[in-house]
Amino acid sequence: MHILLCYGHLLSINIKIFLLLFLITGNIIIYLQIVMDNGLVKVTLSNPGGMVTGVQYNGIENLLEFQNEEENRGYWDLNWGRPEQLHARNYDRIVGTNFTVIVEDSDQVELSFTRTWDSSPEGNHVPLNIDKRYILLRGCPGFYSYGIYGHLEGWPDFNLAETRTVFKLSKDKFHYMAISDTRQRIMPMPEDRATGQPLAYPEAILLTNPINFDLTGEVDDKYQYSCHNKDNGVHGWICSDPLVGFWMITPSNEFRTGGPLRQDLTSHVGPTTLAMFVSEHYSGENVELKFREGEPWKKVFGPVLIYLNSIPGEVDRYDMDPYTILWEDAKEQLNIEVQSWPYSFPTSEDYPYSYQRGTASGRLLVQDRYISEFNISGNAAYVGLASPGEVGSWQSEGKAYQFWTRADAKGYFCIRNIRPGDYNLFAWVPGFVGEYKFDDQLAIKPGSDIRLGFLVYEPPRDGPTLWEIGIPDRSAAEFYVPDPDPNFINKLYVNHPDRFRQYGLWERYADLYPDGDLVYMVGVDDYKNDWFFSQVTRRISDKTYQATTWQIIFELTNINYRGTYKLRLALASAAMAELQVRFNDSTADPSHFTTGLIGTDNTIARHGIHGLSWFYNIDVPGYLLVDGANIIFLTQSRSLSPFQGVMYDYIRFEGVSDD
Ligand SMILES: *[C@@H]1O[C@H](CO)[C@@H](O)[C@H](O)[C@H]1NC(C)=O
Ligand SMILES: *[C@@H]1O[C@H](CO)[C@@H](O)[C@H](O)[C@H]1NC(C)=O
Ligand SMILES: CC(=O)N[C@H]1CO[C@H](CO)[C@@H](O)[C@@H]1O
């Protein structure tokens, strides 16, 4: 099918660059438009600037929204601040004033638009040199883009909060959006958001008067279309007449921040499609890239592929619906790109080719004698290389590159195409608490082949499991996720595995527990039905919220009053929260344990089911326990907003060690 779809490849002609619309001032010629054309796609760029102003394909003059200003169709942008600016951000749409043709031959065109930092006070730009690149290959219906960001030693300090590349498509043409096999739908028009009713925050709109009447009464919110880095390889839009797909393909996660489970935006109403490189989404300010004491930095974001496809001939020839045909072809193209990563064609010296990279491999085993007397295979473990740091530090790391893989069922893993540099190896195994870190740093050099052999992870464990709630997998998805309020539905997520992506679920807590907070009876209740996915605040009036205290009741006999029991508490998210834990005394002051104020991942408001992962090991002296029924009180004490709270990942109560 793929070859059939892309039969246009055969028609490809040599690549041309046209320099159009020039001005002549004195003896200087200034080109205002640059066009790359390979016979399949024609990409028009502004000069100076290097904004993508037009994408011509399959008989459509411009897939981008031609009614937008030229600098508001296809661009790179960023949000940055000075250290002393606190939360203030400066928005910067990157204008590359220095245009250079880097490659122009019959197989490839590569263009560069650079902006050099202007150190004069009037410059007022982020202290970065930025090189935006565009590549067109022979026979490829699409184009690549990547960015090289550099901060030289001694330059001013700053924070980089967000950077991405954005494409705004023709709103008359693109109405169907696809981000995964099960997340595809006809989307609202941008006008519908203006005529609709804003909900608890500006991103969420109730569609009261949409152009497409069928969408009346649904909620639109771009955060409902977020995706894990590991699954965010391809997303985009389909035009139904003629049938054309516009896809953002990101073949590698190496340049993204925060590892495989970090989530970020994909495509959303506009119609807009994004490749997010740095952002705070689902993580908070600690994932901002902070540059201090004039430290030098350089990073390559991308390349990403803007891929176009279409259906030649009559649609009736296929036994699939046309949206599926285009989506399946886009996924196939993602596979091709992933197989070809790292690419051999980008010419920047900051982009290492395959032979300039290294490999690390080994086998991860888990040793937990309360589960097995033998080593357990690190089945499907996440194993990754990231900047040297503490356990978990990679969750908020984004200055350098990260390289992650999944181990096989026996725990064998192989991480390929690692850029040269110093790394720590981190791993975690679904089903086991905590995280593994290999003791030594790994120095990857071009051609390195590091074989680590057996690595044995001993997850935190003192005594036998007396009871547990949930599964340690860094997500709250296994808990009870309520149906949304029928007035605030996104129909895509009705009867959908991602039911947690509905708007307003935080309000459902008080509906379900009107008179008192959640009480969970160990051995009686089932966490799938009886443990609400998020410990949120309770609304008591329009703008007033109340802290909540959940209880876990469990029976205990033969208590070892001199021994120490252990509570393992893994959180899947925290937003301006403080979780206090008390044993059998709801008023103990101070509480037996508190997390202190933690988290700015904002996952409750953004339907994320998890943000950053937190893990606490709490000693429980036996004298706090009683023979018979015991109560653990979990108080989330911060309650200024509906979006404050925690999500639990897993809770385990361990008996006293039998050593
Ligand atoms: C313009 O860009 C090219 C290619 O990236 C670079 O080699 C050159 O130094 C730049 N010139 C200026 C004046 O920044
Ligand atoms: C687990 O594997 C390690 C590494 O191969 C080995 O040293 C250890 O003896 C094994 N433990 C058991 C209980 O088999
Ligand atoms: C010290 C303390 O508050 N103990 C309490 C533990 O919980 C039981 C209820 O199961 C109470 O009866 C105890 O007073």
Side-chain angles (χ1 to χ4, degrees):
M1 183 186 67
H2 185 71
I3 290 168
L4 190 63
L5 275 176
C6 297
Y7 84 121
H9 286 206
L10 304 174
L11 302 178
S12 64
I13 58 167
N14 283 355
I15 301 175
K16 289 180 288 201
I17 312 177
F18 303 102
L19 306 172
L20 291 182
L21 281 182
F22 51 84
L23 290 175
I24 303 180
T25 341
N27 285 332
I28 303 166
I29 301 180
I30 305 168
Y31 297 102
L32 301 182
Q33 258 187 19
I34 289 145
V35 178
M36 310 189 286
D37 185 351
N38 65 359
L40 297 171
V41 54
K42 197 160 130 183
V43 183
T44 307
L45 298 135
S46 65
N47 188 40
M51 312 288 179
V52 182
T53 60
V55 178
Q56 192 189 94
Y57 174 73
N58 199 48
I60 302 180
E61 183 59 29
N62 198 349
L63 303 182
L64 304 182
E65 180 52 65
F66 72 94
Q67 293 188 48
N68 285 4
E69 301 284 314
E70 290 212 332
E71 57 276 11
N72 189 23
R73 298 179 191 170
Y75 54 87
W76 285 68
D77 67 9
L78 58 82
N79 253 311
W80 69 286
R82 297 190 174 82
E84 67 277 11
Q85 273 184 304
L86 291 174
H87 302 293
R89 295 283 167 259
N90 311 302
Y91 178 74
D92 182 358
R93 195 164 289 178
I94 301 155
V95 177
T97 46
N98 167 29
F99 164 61
T100 317
V101 178
I102 304 280
V103 180
E104 182 185 9
D105 61 30
S106 58
D107 291 324
Q108 176 169 350
V109 166
E110 181 164 350
L111 309 179
S112 156
F113 294 85
T114 62
R115 184 179 80 187
T116 308
W117 179 51
D118 173 0
S119 60
S120 69
E122 308 81 60
N124 198 29
H125 274 149
V126 63
L128 283 173
N129 284 345
I130 296 177
D131 185 353
K132 292 191 291 181
R133 298 281 181 109
Y134 297 97
I135 296 176
L136 190 65
L137 298 182
R138 183 144 78 119
C140 174
F143 59 100
Y144 296 86
S145 186
Y146 65 116
I148 306 146
Y149 290 32
H151 180 254
L152 298 192
E153 187 154 12
W155 281 10
D157 294 346
F158 73 106
N159 300 339
L160 183 61
E162 185 166 81
T163 190
R164 55 185 193 170
T165 182
V166 181
F167 288 89
K168 296 189 171 164
L169 312 189
S170 162
K171 69 185 165 83
D172 293 335
K173 296 204 160 55
F174 291 93
H175 299 150
Y176 189 86
M177 189 176 92
I179 58 182
S180 79
D181 287 343
T182 59
R183 298 168 76 192
Q184 311 191 357
R185 61 167 294 161
I186 300 275
M187 294 293 284
M189 297 290 283
E191 293 85 347
D192 302 342
R193 293 183 52 85
T195 59
Q197 175 198 328
L199 297 173
Y201 43 87
E203 290 89 345
I205 300 283
L206 181 63
L207 306 173
T208 50
N209 192 18
I211 292 166
N212 178 348
F213 182 78
D214 293 347
L215 308 182
T216 308
E218 288 200 64
V219 170
D220 179 63
D221 176 353
K222 63 183 174 183
Y223 291 100
Q224 293 183 322
Y225 303 105
S226 297
C227 186
H228 286 127
N229 283 348
K230 71 183 174 69
D231 302 320
N232 190 351
V234 56
H235 57 88
W237 291 84
I238 294 173
C239 163
S240 55
D241 185 21
L243 279 159
V244 164
F246 186 109
W247 307 103
M248 178 63 73
I249 292 184
T250 308
S252 165
N253 284 328
E254 68 180 42
F255 44 79
R256 284 182 171 144
T257 56
L261 292 189
R262 211 181 79 82
Q263 298 179 79
D264 219 322
L265 296 171
T266 56
S267 291
H268 61 266
V269 168
T272 301
T273 194
L274 308 171
M276 301 293 305
F277 301 116
V278 174
S279 87
E280 298 178 6
H281 300 142
Y282 303 95
S283 305
E285 275 179 29
N286 55 348
V287 305
E288 275 189 1
L289 312 192
K290 295 187 177 68
F291 299 92
R292 295 293 181 270
E293 295 173 12
E295 67 185 286
W297 177 68
K298 198 168 222 188
K299 187 162 178 178
V300 177
F301 296 107
V304 295
L305 168 63
I306 292 83
Y307 174 68
L308 311 171
N309 60 7
S310 58
I311 300 184
E314 292 297 313
V315 169
D316 319 347
R317 287 165 47 204
Y318 306 90
D319 54 6
M320 269 185 265
D321 80 84
Y323 293 153
T324 307
I325 297 172
L326 291 171
W327 166 249
E328 291 295 325
D329 175 69
K331 284 199 306 181
E332 177 70 27
Q333 191 65 36
L334 167 63
N335 270 331
I336 293 169
E337 301 303 318
V338 169
Q339 299 305 321
S340 349
W341 188 271
Y343 295 137
S344 54
F345 53 82
T347 54
S348 165
E349 63 190 21
D350 297 305
Y351 182 83
Y353 301 126
S354 186
Y355 72 91
Q356 294 165 314
R357 297 171 176 234
T359 300
S361 58
R363 182 182 184 196
L364 186 70
L365 301 170
V366 182
Q367 217 173 59
D368 182 337
R369 66 192 172 92
Y370 286 96
I371 292 181
S372 168
E373 59 175 303
F374 304 109
N375 284 326
I376 305 161
S377 291
N379 181 4
Y382 288 83
V383 188
L385 263 53
S387 274
E390 296 305 305
V391 155
S393 55
W394 52 271
Q395 290 193 98
S396 40
E397 211 295 307
K399 280 184 192 169
Y401 303 88
Q402 296 196 24
F403 300 86
W404 288 86
T405 192
R406 299 291 296 270
D408 68 13
K410 294 206 156 92
Y412 287 99
F413 65 88
C414 181
I415 306 176
R416 296 190 173 81
N417 294 311
I418 307 159
R419 283 171 165 258
D422 292 329
Y423 298 92
N424 271 138
L425 181 142
F426 302 97
W428 82 90
V429 189
F432 294 90
V433 288
E435 182 176 318
Y436 174 81
K437 177 183 157 186
F438 184 65
D439 288 337
D440 301 329
Q441 280 189 22
L442 304 185
I444 301 288
K445 300 192 169 56
S448 289
D449 182 8
I450 298 181
R451 298 179 189 202
L452 294 160
F454 293 110
L455 309 177
V456 181
Y457 173 47
E458 288 180 56
R461 167 74 81 175
D462 290 355
T465 300
L466 300 180
W467 50 263
E468 58 190 346
I469 298 173
I471 303 165
D473 61 355
R474 300 179 180 232
S475 156
E478 69 270 31
F479 297 125
Y480 179 73
V481 178
D483 286 332
D485 181 322
N487 297 314
F488 300 116
I489 281 184
N490 180 332
K491 283 186 193 149
L492 175 62
Y493 297 114
V494 174
N495 297 322
H496 191 281
D498 291 0
R499 46 188 284 124
F500 53 82
R501 296 191 196 276
Q502 294 283 9
Y503 171 85
L505 300 184
W506 56 87
E507 300 248 308
R508 305 289 288 145
Y509 174 74
D511 297 341
L512 279 157
Y513 298 93
D515 304 320
D517 284 327
L518 184 149
V519 177
Y520 186 89
M521 304 276 288
V522 169
V524 177
D525 289 329
D526 176 359
Y527 65 75
K528 293 186 195 71
N529 302 318
D530 304 310
W531 189 267
F532 199 78
F533 76 104
S534 178
Q535 185 168 354
V536 288
T537 53
R538 173 189 296 280
R539 187 163 85 159
I540 47 175
S541 73
D542 217 18
K543 288 206 164 63
T544 330
Y545 299 85
Q546 209 173 40
T548 54
T549 297
W550 289 10
Q551 296 176 44
I552 301 170
I553 303 183
F554 62 100
E555 295 284 333
L556 206 59
T557 51
N558 300 322
I559 292 170
N560 180 342
Y561 291 101
R562 289 187 180 167
T564 302
Y565 294 73
K566 204 81 164 201
L567 187 71
R568 309 280 179 196
L569 180 65
L571 300 179
S573 164
M576 302 299 285
E578 175 176 353
L579 188 64
Q580 301 171 348
V581 185
R582 293 177 172 84
F583 301 91
N584 278 329
D585 179 359
S586 65
T587 59
D589 185 19
S591 58
H592 294 119
F593 171 83
T594 177
T595 59
L597 180 63
I598 54 167
T600 53
D601 67 28
N602 208 14
T603 299
I604 293 167
R606 288 172 173 177
H607 340 282
I609 207 67
H610 76 87
L612 300 186
S613 158
W614 305 79
F615 184 52
Y616 300 96
N617 301 290
I618 303 167
D619 285 342
V620 187
Y623 60 77
L624 288 178
L625 303 169
V626 291
D627 208 56
N630 287 267
I631 307 179
I632 296 179
F633 297 94
L634 299 166
T635 301
Q636 198 295 98
S637 64
R638 309 280 177 137
S639 56
L640 292 173
S641 108
F643 307 124
Q644 272 174 299
V646 296
M647 292 184 194
Y648 294 90
D649 169 21
Y650 174 72
I651 305 174
R652 180 166 78 208
F653 196 62
E654 288 172 19
V656 177
S657 166
D658 55 14
D659 302 325

